[in-house]
Amino acid sequence: MMKCLKNMLRPILRTLAATAVLFFSAGCVSQTHREVVVYVAVDQVHAEPVLKSFENSSGIRVRAVYDVEASKTTGLVQRLIAEKQRPVADVFWNGEFVQTVHLMRRNVVASYAPCGGRARVLLYRPSAVPNSKLPRSLSELASTGLPPARIGLALPLFGSSATHAAALYASLGAPGARALYQALANRGFRIVDGNSVVRDLVAGGQLDLGVTDSDDACGALERHPELRIAPLDDAVVIPQTVAIVAGAPHPDMAGQLSKYLTGREAQRALMASGFVQLLQEDPAFRAACVAALPVPANPPALESVADQFEAGQADLRELFVRTR
Amino acid sequence: MAVRVLFCIYLLLVYSPLAALLAAAGPLSLDLSARRVALLGHTALYAGAVSALAVMIGVPAATFLRRRTRLSERTLVTVLVALVALPPYVHALAWNRILSPAAAFSGGAPAAVFCHAMALVPLSVLLSLLAFDAIPRELMDAARIFQSGTSIFRRVLLPLAWPTICAGAAILFLLAAVDYVVPSLFSVPAYSLEIHAEFSAGGSMAGALGAATPVACLCGMVLAISLSTLRRAALAARSGSNVLRDCPNAMPKYWILCEWMAAGLVAAHLIVPLTVLGSSLSAPSRAAASVAAAAGDLVFSGLIAVAVAAVGVPAAYGMARALAQSRRFESALWLVALLPAALPAPLAGVGLIALWHRPGIDLLYGTPAMVVLAALARVLPFGALILTMALRRTDPLLEDAATVFEPSRARGWFRVRLPLVAPALGATAIFLAALSLGELGATLLVIPPGAQTLTLRIYNYLHYGESQAVGGLCLLMALLTAALGAAASASVWRRS
């Protein structure tokens, strides 16, 4: 029996020892290399190749932490705030801008730069939604005659949906925006977890029309050519933001990475992979799937949108996170 | 003494993130508006419905598996635990794709309850198997003398298994109450979404903790109500065997019908995600490429799971012994053991950062050890409960004999106690490893830059819509858990 137990314990102890060495050494090895740490709230499948390309061209090792949609960017933002006194990250690469502006105001990031972005669009099935009935704005959507159970929206509490809502609060004013979202909440639309779910439900035929981001919509078009994209008059272009963390451990390399990510080469790569569809300041820089869409005119300033975020969120939680 | 030390380690692992969070957050802001109260009530009903449906499927499925199949306990545990590791969201998505053409399942509470319950069915079956396996053969033999036919099942088997079944229902309730991802898929409001929305909008830990307090109280109430059954489950008769197989005529006709229906649903549970995932492998080269790209994540996830099991089992044992032997403050101890499971995962992660990211004690911060700590904080309460129920199968007379006749406690431990509890420890290790593989919310907060778990990659690809990649990675996850389970059970069951 003792021999059996020893035989059982030996491999377990060996594994534990190897694991302990691995775990404790993982924090030590990195100090000796040229490296930069980036927290990435951009889809990993798009961001990873760009970061790899930077590694190959600069010789700087990139250590990334990727967010997941399930955490709604809250995860990485909270991590940055929690690490504020002793930052671990050098760069925060965000797929939208509101949280970046808030981090700037809390002195968690030292500076940021907007770059290529996405637009809020309609994704729909032309077989079910004729052109004559296609809504042109969220206001028209709120009063559409189309069956509400066949229309999908992402919860306007997180990510680009929340940013879109904040932009409407900035442009329409709080009473107007609240009335609009109240109408949307009361119509009986399918309110789902995120833009990717809207995309999947429209692509899968469970919905006829949905409001989503242009990267989700263009990706759906590639796999389901029978679908179409339509613009929203009250849409907003949501740029990415690349921010340098205040007190970054590797400020020089953070600067290099930031410059690379906001540069034309990285943005073209992101456009080719499907994450970015347009640049506000360069109308010629557009993805093919949104080439025909008009660029929203007179967009609100990023800071004024961020100003409306928290107040808007309080309203929207009242409207959407409730029993019916 | 050693058990007391393990008990203290359990408390440290589970409560230190919460303590650090409370210290960092400052005064909590509780806001119990009418909307939040209504939302909490709705969540309670939803979680109760999910738990009840999962139990209604799991219990007859367990009796079917024991009576009508020759599958060994090892095989059953390995397969069921492999299914537990798959994220519930993947199950829900798969069922949604299959059922959504039917109007009743296109959205809303009924569809959400069904799909969420189906995602929890493997756990329900596992807990039900534990319940029936604990029934001692002597009671069964006595019942057969005095009772006949269906009376044995109604008046002996089911009442004896009932405490553990109720304890299992409480666990399922807790899991359903703190999840918002699955209900959101069907547009069903969940209270946990309110916590995330509060966290996202204001970034305030105090606000998020205040928002989390009502659901933690709800889960605490459910645990408190089921405490009597939890205690009875823990203190019930200790030795068991497959009594169900020896009672072919003990089941009422309605129960036999339920067994076949439940077996069909469990088979569907196996087939639906595998079919949907498998059908998404229409481009095998793409799936293979994503699996190859995830090789590092696979190794990392496997090592994390092994570490969680290695550290978690002793700690869970310390708490399980305390739960089994406590006489004073029993109720409080059960609540202490299980309540942390109600804390939202991101808050546990923030607490770990507050605890470990300080000058002088940041040796572990930035290492994979933080991921192990995050997983332990999340899964240990379930491990303690499973181990408490599994330890019922050990014969206390043998332990007492070891105490009397062995010259030293250490020898008594290695020669008698450890072999006796090895199957229970093995089952708990597998369970902890499987649960840790699926941990997401706290892991994201503490994972070292440059590392990634398989679950993080799966959720990333889910969002992007890379169904081929998701299919390949989910199958890989299931294989990894099955391999862990098979390896552990081969070691444990061979020697028991």
Side-chain angles (χ1 to χ4, degrees):
Chain A
M1 177 59 73
M2 283 301 292
K3 195 174 174 187
C4 286
L5 283 168
K6 278 183 190 167
N7 288 339
M8 191 167 75
L9 284 173
R10 209 171 281 144
I12 295 172
L13 288 172
R14 270 195 222 121
T15 307
L16 280 176
T19 309
V21 167
L22 174 75
F23 283 178
F24 283 94
S25 64
C28 302
V29 169
S30 60
Q31 306 299 325
T32 60
H33 292 86
R34 287 182 73 219
E35 67 172 27
V36 64
V37 175
V38 55
Y39 289 177
V40 186
V42 168
D43 294 344
Q44 181 178 357
V45 70
H46 299 296
E48 207 163 31
V50 172
L51 293 174
K52 190 56 93 177
S53 175
F54 171 77
E55 260 189 351
N56 294 337
S57 61
S58 66
I60 298 172
R61 183 181 165 212
V62 175
R63 294 170 64 211
V65 178
Y66 294 97
D67 205 345
V68 291
E69 175 156 290
S71 82
K72 318 298 180 188
T73 312
T74 301
L76 286 187
V77 168
Q78 289 306 319
R79 184 167 174 166
L80 283 163
I81 294 170
E83 292 174 349
K84 180 182 169 184
Q85 299 306 321
R86 303 179 73 219
V88 171
D90 299 300
V91 173
F92 176 44
W93 183 11
N94 190 2
E96 54 92 36
F97 60 89
V98 167
Q99 297 283 11
T100 307
V101 172
H102 285 164
L103 288 173
M104 180 88 176
R105 290 174 180 172
R106 294 172 84 145
N107 298 317
V108 175
V109 302
S111 63
Y112 71 90
C115 49
R118 306 163 284 165
R120 299 285 289 162
V121 296
L122 289 175
L123 177 68
Y124 69 102
R125 305 188 144 270
S127 55
V129 183
N131 260 347
S132 55
K133 291 194 175 174
L134 196 59
R136 304 292 168 189
S137 63
L138 284 188
S139 305
E140 281 189 28
L141 185 67
S143 55
T144 182
L146 295 166
R150 302 288 299 176
I151 297 174
L153 295 171
L155 267 173
L157 300 176
F158 309 107
S160 55
S161 310
T163 305
H164 190 181
L168 286 171
Y169 268 76
S171 58
L172 299 178
R178 187 188 163 91
L180 169 61
Y181 275 97
Q182 186 150 29
L184 290 171
N186 292 340
R187 277 304 311 274
F189 296 143
R190 182 98 179 254
I191 309 293
V192 294
D193 190 38
N195 295 308
S196 58
V197 182
V198 173
R199 172 202 65 209
D200 290 342
L201 292 176
V202 175
Q206 290 122 296
L207 294 176
D208 296 328
L209 179 131
V211 180
T212 186
D213 290 339
S214 52
D215 62 323
D216 287 310
C218 291
L221 246 62
E222 280 180 21
R223 300 181 187 104
H224 301 271
E226 72 277 14
L227 301 178
R228 295 289 181 272
I229 294 178
L232 284 168
D233 294 343
D234 49 12
V236 62
V237 173
I238 301 176
Q240 310 158 67
T241 45
V242 180
I244 296 183
V245 176
H250 312 96
D252 293 337
M253 284 173 270
Q256 288 185 54
L257 177 60
S258 173
K259 192 174 173 187
Y260 180 84
L261 290 176
T262 52
R264 192 53 69 97
E265 181 187 340
Q267 294 304 308
R268 284 199 186 279
L270 288 168
M271 182 175 280
S273 77
F275 182 69
V276 163
Q277 282 71 49
L278 37 83
L279 273 181
Q280 187 92 6
E281 59 270 21
D282 185 357
F285 189 74
R286 307 187 102 195
C289 66
V290 297
L293 300 188
V295 177
N298 302 321
L302 303 188
E303 282 76 16
S304 65
V305 172
D307 285 339
Q308 298 297 325
F309 183 76
E310 206 165 324
Q313 286 294 295
D315 277 352
L316 295 170
R317 252 185 291 153
E318 294 283 331
L319 292 173
F320 288 92
V321 187
R322 62 183 173 92
T323 55
R324 294 177 200 280
Chain B
M1 179 66 185
V3 173
R4 282 192 201 134
V5 169
L6 294 176
F7 174 75
C8 292
I9 290 174
Y10 176 97
L11 292 179
L12 266 175
L13 289 171
V14 170
Y15 277 95
S16 56
L18 178 58
L21 186 64
L22 286 170
L28 298 185
S29 56
L30 280 172
D31 170 20
L32 277 177
S33 62
R35 181 182 63 85
R36 277 193 177 178
V37 171
L39 198 54
L40 191 66
H42 186 268
T43 297
L45 283 173
Y46 172 82
V50 169
S51 169
L53 184 58
V55 165
M56 281 163 58
I57 298 171
V59 172
T63 61
F64 180 92
L65 287 169
R66 272 286 179 247
R67 284 183 348 108
R68 298 181 188 277
T69 70
R70 287 286 176 261
L71 294 170
S72 69
E73 183 173 357
R74 197 163 96 194
T75 307
L76 279 175
V77 169
T78 302
V79 169
L80 288 170
V81 168
L83 293 172
V84 166
L86 276 181
Y89 189 65
V90 174
H91 283 286
L93 261 184
W95 278 100
N96 188 38
R97 279 190 201 159
I98 297 283
L99 295 172
S100 57
F105 284 93
S106 61
V113 167
F114 178 77
C115 293
H116 205 161
M118 288 306 296
L120 295 176
V121 153
L123 189 55
S124 176
V125 173
L126 204 58
L127 293 168
S128 302
L129 283 173
L130 274 175
F132 286 107
D133 285 356
I135 297 172
R137 179 169 293 284
E138 302 81 53
L139 287 180
M140 194 60 210
D141 292 339
R144 287 166 79 182
I145 296 172
F146 296 105
Q147 301 282 342
S148 60
T150 62
S151 292
I152 296 176
F153 178 71
R154 280 188 299 109
R155 300 179 72 174
V156 179
L157 290 179
L158 209 48
L160 283 174
W162 192 244
T164 312
I165 293 171
C166 285
I171 297 174
L172 297 173
F173 179 95
L174 207 149
L175 288 170
V178 299
D179 185 359
Y180 72 88
V181 180
V182 172
S184 295
L185 182 62
F186 300 93
S187 310
V188 173
Y191 191 88
S192 294
L193 184 63
E194 174 77 6
I195 301 170
H196 282 266
E198 173 75 41
F199 212 13
S200 172
S204 155
M205 277 191 282
L209 261 180
T213 302
V215 78
C217 290
L218 171 67
C219 293
M221 272 170 50
V222 169
L223 287 173
I225 290 167
S226 58
L227 271 178
S228 62
T229 56
L230 281 167
R231 283 200 298 267
R232 283 169 62 192
L235 300 176
R238 301 247 185 287
S239 60
S241 58
N242 189 353
V243 297
L244 289 170
R245 194 170 290 160
D246 297 329
C247 302
N249 300 319
M251 300 301 178
K253 286 200 172 74
Y254 70 85
W255 189 260
I256 295 174
L257 179 63
C258 289
E259 278 185 344
W260 282 100
M261 287 170 61
L265 283 171
V266 170
H269 174 91
L270 283 171
I271 294 167
V272 164
L274 291 177
T275 304
V276 172
L277 292 175
S279 66
S280 67
L281 297 177
S282 54
S285 57
R286 180 71 189 96
S290 68
V291 167
D297 303 346
L298 176 66
V299 171
F300 185 76
S301 299
L303 286 174
I304 296 291
V306 167
V308 167
V311 176
V313 165
Y317 182 77
M319 176 54 80
R321 289 291 293 225
L323 289 171
Q325 292 171 352
S326 66
R327 294 290 176 265
R328 292 186 294 172
F329 311 116
E330 281 180 78
S331 305
L333 194 59
W334 277 100
L335 277 177
V336 162
L338 301 175
L339 205 51
L343 184 71
L347 292 180
V350 173
L352 281 168
I353 296 176
L355 181 64
W356 290 102
H357 193 45
R358 300 166 186 241
I361 58 167
D362 59 353
L363 179 68
L364 296 183
Y365 196 77
T367 71
M370 292 300 296
V371 183
V372 176
L373 290 173
L376 284 169
R378 300 290 302 151
V379 306
L380 265 181
F382 299 106
L385 185 60
I386 293 289
L387 189 51
T388 304
M389 291 191 286
L391 282 176
R392 288 181 299 121
R393 303 179 62 184
T394 57
D395 188 346
L397 291 177
L398 292 175
E399 292 190 48
D400 293 340
T403 307
V404 170
F405 293 111
E406 279 291 346
S408 74
R409 292 189 84 134
R411 281 189 72 178
W413 170 252
F414 280 104
R415 287 169 64 102
V416 180
R417 288 195 180 85
L418 187 56
L420 279 176
V421 302
L425 297 180
T428 305
I430 298 166
F431 192 70
L432 287 175
L435 281 184
S436 72
L437 281 173
E439 212 300 306
L440 178 70
T443 300
L444 177 61
L445 275 285
V446 299
I447 194 158
Q452 192 170 33
T453 63
L454 211 51
T455 298
L456 279 173
R457 190 176 279 267
I458 288 172
Y459 270 93
N460 271 316
Y461 280 129
L462 264 176
H463 168 218
Y464 179 61
E466 263 283 354
S467 51
Q468 286 100 353
V470 170
L473 292 174
C474 282
L475 288 174
L476 193 63
M477 171 88 92
L479 285 171
L480 171 63
T481 327
L484 282 172
S489 56
S491 167
V492 165
W493 266 274
R494 194 171 66 220
R495 290 172 172 79
S496 70

